[in-house]
């Protein structure tokens, strides 16, 4: 029995939640979500006139992006929001066509190489970037047929789901991190920013779901148009 696209989307979500609870297997996916979080900080700094000093990725799954200049509010907000957008973009890009998923993986690999050359200063960051870039390269180079787009689709959903959940880690009573930075800049409580990130992530997830509904409606409409009348 062939599963529908919406059914597969639900399977991705359930699979991502289960995988995130598994030790060892989830580690590369967690590194990837952290990378997108930190590179989003860096890109926001560059976009607002600042520059990136270095990016650090830790084997434990955490990370930091050290920037100078730019708009600190935009930079702080961009971490979680950027990871959400990366996840949605990877999923939608992989669904466009098999060729687009491979170009997308190639582009992400290139971004990781550039990040490593320009901003990696410690062994763990360099090692993680090499592993992630290596996995992506081997995948888009050697995984054939329709399997690779499915891998990329799942990866996008994992990054998106993880980015939605990650802001909850800021609820620790220590008042540090992106939420605390935004709270100090805007005088809004930290939990407001946490809620904004979560709502933004859920909204992105719903937007992706709605694209499935629109595509299925379009497919049904086209099927009716081309079906001959008797």
């Amino acid at each position: 029995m062939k599963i529908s696209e919406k059914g597969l989307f639900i399977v991705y979500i359930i699979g991502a939640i289960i995988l995130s609870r598994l030790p060892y297997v989830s580690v590369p996916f967690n590194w990837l979500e952290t990378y997108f979080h930190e590179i989003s900080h860096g890109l926001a700094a560059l976009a607002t006139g600042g520059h990136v000093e270095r990016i650090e990725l830790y084997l434990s799954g955490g990370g930091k992006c050290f920037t100078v200049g730019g708009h600190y509010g935009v930079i702080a907000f961009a971490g979680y929001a950027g990871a959400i957008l990366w996840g949605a973009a990877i999923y939608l890009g992989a669904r466009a066509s098999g060729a687009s998923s491979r170009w997308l993986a190639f582009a992400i690999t290139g971004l990781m190489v550039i990040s490593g050359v320009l901003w990696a200063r410690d062994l763990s960051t360099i090692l993680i970037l090499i592993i992630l870039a290596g996995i992506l390269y081997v995948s888009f180079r050697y995984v054939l047929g329709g399997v690779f787009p499915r891998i990329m689709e799942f990866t996008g959903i994992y990054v998106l789901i993880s980015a939605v959940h990650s802001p909850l880690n800021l609820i620790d009573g220590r008042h540090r991190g992106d939420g605390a930075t935004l709270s100090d800049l805007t005088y809004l409580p930290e939990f407001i920013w946490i809620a904004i990130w979560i709502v933004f992530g859920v909204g992105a997830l719903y937007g992706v779901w709605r694209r499935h509904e629109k595509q299925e409606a379009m497919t049904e409409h086209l099927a009716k148009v081309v079906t001959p009348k008797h």
Side-chain angles (χ1 to χ4, degrees), residues 91-110:
Y91 177 79
L92 294 174
R95 278 187 53 80
S97 70
S100 67
S101 65
R102 294 182 183 278
W103 279 109
L104 182 61
F106 182 78
I108 294 172
T109 302

Side-chain angles (χ1 to χ4, degrees), residues 33-222:
E33 191 272 330
T34 299
Y35 170 74
F36 286 130
H37 179 107
E38 303 307 335
I39 197 64
S40 295
H41 282 312
L43 293 175
L46 295 174
T48 56
H51 70 271
V52 181
E53 284 194 331
R54 69 185 187 276
I55 290 177
E56 294 181 356
L57 302 173
Y58 309 136
L59 297 176
S60 62
K64 287 183 180 179
C65 180
F66 297 85
T67 64
V68 175
H71 191 290
Y72 289 113
V74 174
I75 295 169
F77 184 77
Y80 292 110
I84 290 167
L85 293 176
W86 276 106
I90 291 171
Y91 177 79
L92 294 174
R95 278 187 53 80
S97 70
S100 67
S101 65
R102 294 182 183 278
W103 279 109
L104 182 61
F106 182 78
I108 294 172
T109 302
L111 181 61
M112 288 180 178
V113 172
I114 293 172
S115 301
V117 172
L118 295 180
W119 303 312
R121 299 289 183 269
D122 61 282
L123 184 59
S124 67
T125 303
I126 295 171
L127 178 62
I128 288 170
L129 288 175
I130 289 174
I131 292 173
L132 291 178
I135 291 173
L136 279 171
Y137 176 77
V138 170
S139 296
F140 76 71
R141 181 69 176 82
Y142 296 106
V143 178
L144 303 177
V147 177
F148 182 72
R150 298 304 189 188
I151 292 174
M152 290 297 290
E153 288 173 17
F154 176 77
T155 300
I157 292 299
Y158 187 96
V159 170
L160 178 51
I161 293 293
S162 181
V164 172
H165 177 267
S166 292
L168 294 175
N169 296 326
L170 298 176
I171 306 175
D172 55 10
R174 293 186 293 178
H175 193 73
R176 66 181 188 181
D178 297 338
T181 299
L182 287 167
S183 177
D184 292 339
L185 288 172
T186 64
Y187 302 104
L188 291 175
E190 185 178 11
F191 77 85
I192 296 293
W193 292 105
I194 294 173
I196 289 173
W197 281 313
I198 293 174
V199 170
F200 180 60
V202 172
L205 197 60
Y206 178 72
V208 171
W209 172 265
R210 287 288 295 165
R211 284 185 68 90
H212 281 291
E213 293 186 335
K214 291 179 180 179
Q215 288 173 350
E216 288 191 1
M218 179 63 71
T219 301
E220 292 176 0
H221 174 72
L222 291 175

